[in-house]
Amino acid sequence: MAEQLHSAFESSMDKTNLILKDIEQAYGWPKEQRNQSYCALRTVLHLLRDRMPVQESVEFAAQLPVLVRGIYFDGWQPSDVPIKLNRDDFLLEVRQGFPYDVEGGPERVVQVVLDTLRRHVTQGEWDDVKATMPRDLAKIIP
């Protein structure tokens, strides 16, 4: 039993590191900037989560590695969602949650994180996530 738990934990850690590494590679960041890739992932995940209806949010989270799912649900208040955010409000919230100055600003941060996440969930689920967004926000979702 302990061996299975260890294996599941290692697998989740490997998948999480792969997601963070994908973000770093898109920016050309060295691993020493892992805090930036984590911050970008966490910020965009929380804003995406809070913009979706509860059921869709849970279905999306089910496809994430366990460790990323924990990040995703950290601080979640299901009774307060979905929060209405248009594209500009979403990008402003990204800027506030991601305090680093990076090339392309908050829009690029969103694009990199969403491109990365899209590769780690099924196309059907990704289409469902995109369908829950307002039209102007859906335009920045790959």
Side-chain angles (χ1 to χ4, degrees):
M1 179 67 149
E3 193 172 297
Q4 288 176 332
L5 178 62
H6 182 70
S7 177
F9 181 76
E10 279 186 359
S11 175
S12 179
M13 188 66 121
D14 290 345
K15 291 174 184 176
T16 300
N17 280 326
L18 181 61
I19 289 170
L20 294 171
K21 187 184 287 187
D22 285 352
I23 293 168
E24 291 159 5
Q25 286 178 341
Y27 272 107
W29 295 337
K31 186 178 179 181
E32 292 75 33
Q33 288 181 274
R34 178 66 42 105
N35 59 326
Q36 284 184 209
S37 56
Y38 168 77
C39 186
L41 176 64
R42 185 178 191 283
T43 299
V44 174
L45 275 175
H46 283 187
L47 288 168
L48 193 64
R49 169 201 75 191
D50 290 346
R51 184 58 194 88
M52 287 190 279
V54 171
Q55 185 62 39
E56 185 54 44
S57 188
V58 170
E59 290 171 8
F60 172 70
Q63 294 196 12
L64 300 173
V66 173
L67 188 55
V68 175
R69 200 175 314 145
I71 296 165
Y72 182 80
F73 284 123
D74 183 42
W76 191 42
Q77 300 293 323
S79 61
D80 295 343
V81 298
I83 296 171
K84 294 186 188 277
L85 292 173
N86 62 31
R87 178 185 177 278
D88 293 338
D89 293 338
F90 192 90
L91 293 173
L92 178 63
E93 292 290 328
V94 169
R95 182 66 185 126
Q96 291 174 350
F98 183 78
Y100 303 95
D101 288 324
V102 294
E103 185 178 326
E107 191 160 351
R108 175 83 171 124
V109 171
V110 170
Q111 198 65 50
V112 165
V113 172
L114 293 180
D115 281 344
T116 299
L117 290 172
R118 187 189 65 192
R119 292 190 299 270
H120 294 274
V121 299
T122 65
Q123 186 62 49
E125 186 56 44
W126 194 252
D127 292 342
D128 290 348
V129 167
K130 193 170 180 175
T132 68
M133 297 295 137
R135 209 170 283 173
D136 68 331
L137 188 52
K139 288 178 184 176
I140 64 172
I141 298 177

